[in-house]
Amino acid sequence: MRFGNLPWWATELCNSVRDAVVLAEEAAGARLLPPDILWRQPLFDQLIANVYQPGEGICAHVDLMRFEDGIAIVSLESSCVMHFSNVEHEEGREDAEEDEERGKVGKVPVYLPPGSLVLLSGDARYSWKHEINRRPGFQFWEGKELNQKQRTSITLRKLCPVD
């Protein structure tokens, strides 16, 4: 975990994230990050690198409020499925069916091949939890269980200013 001045390789990674977002926005003709986030300086000043062995993951969470809007996650080495769930929707609640009737969904799976970039901002950052459950029997995509290997995750964030 690093705060403040990031090592050179992480600064290069931040620049690559910005470049990838700009290219993707041009290709899609749509905004992936608000301009005030994309062009802030520095884009990120905090990183955490985690190495997960097969079967290890991270429980559902929303990143701490000490970080500004705009978070990037780079997923390396092994495929996985990240699940998103609305903060207001919890499966198993008595009124969970009511949520579904009102359009609030349960878990939304997203397949992440090695080299994937996940961007969280706005509602995706504040209103949706994200998790990766890599216990045996939980990593399925298109009906097939994923062959899990070591996975490295690099999360890039920007600390909120201290008053």
Side-chain angles (χ1 to χ4, degrees), residues 18 21 25 31-41 43:
R18 179 179 281 129
V21 170
E25 286 183 346
R31 292 234 179 263
L32 299 179
L33 281 177
D36 60 316
I37 295 174
L38 184 60
W39 300 110
R40 68 187 174 195
Q41 292 295 331
L43 180 56

Side-chain angles (χ1 to χ4, degrees), residues 80-105:
C80 70
V81 178
M82 180 178 277
H83 287 92
F84 290 85
S85 56
N86 192 286
V87 170
E88 294 179 12
H89 178 89
E90 292 179 34
E91 290 182 21
R93 282 192 357 245
E94 285 183 27
D95 59 347
E97 278 186 37
E98 252 180 66
D99 279 355
E100 289 174 17
E101 288 171 14
R102 289 183 295 192
K104 292 183 183 173
V105 297

Side-chain angles (χ1 to χ4, degrees), residues 138-156:
F138 282 86
Q139 284 289 299
F140 282 87
W141 190 254
E142 296 181 343
K144 295 180 182 170
E145 188 164 11
L146 299 180
N147 179 19
Q148 297 184 52
K149 299 176 182 146
Q150 176 176 288
R151 176 181 168 269
T152 299
S153 173
I154 300 172
T155 303
L156 300 161

Side-chain angles (χ1 to χ4, degrees), residues 45-80:
D45 62 6
Q46 192 272 338
L47 82 81
I48 184 165
N50 287 303
V51 176
Y52 298 99
Q53 298 305 319
E56 297 177 340
I58 188 161
C59 62
H61 68 284
V62 170
D63 285 56
L64 298 172
M65 296 302 136
R66 75 173 72 163
F67 301 109
E68 289 188 13
D69 195 9
I71 295 171
I73 303 165
V74 180
S75 185
L76 304 169
E77 295 186 279
S78 183
S79 298
C80 70

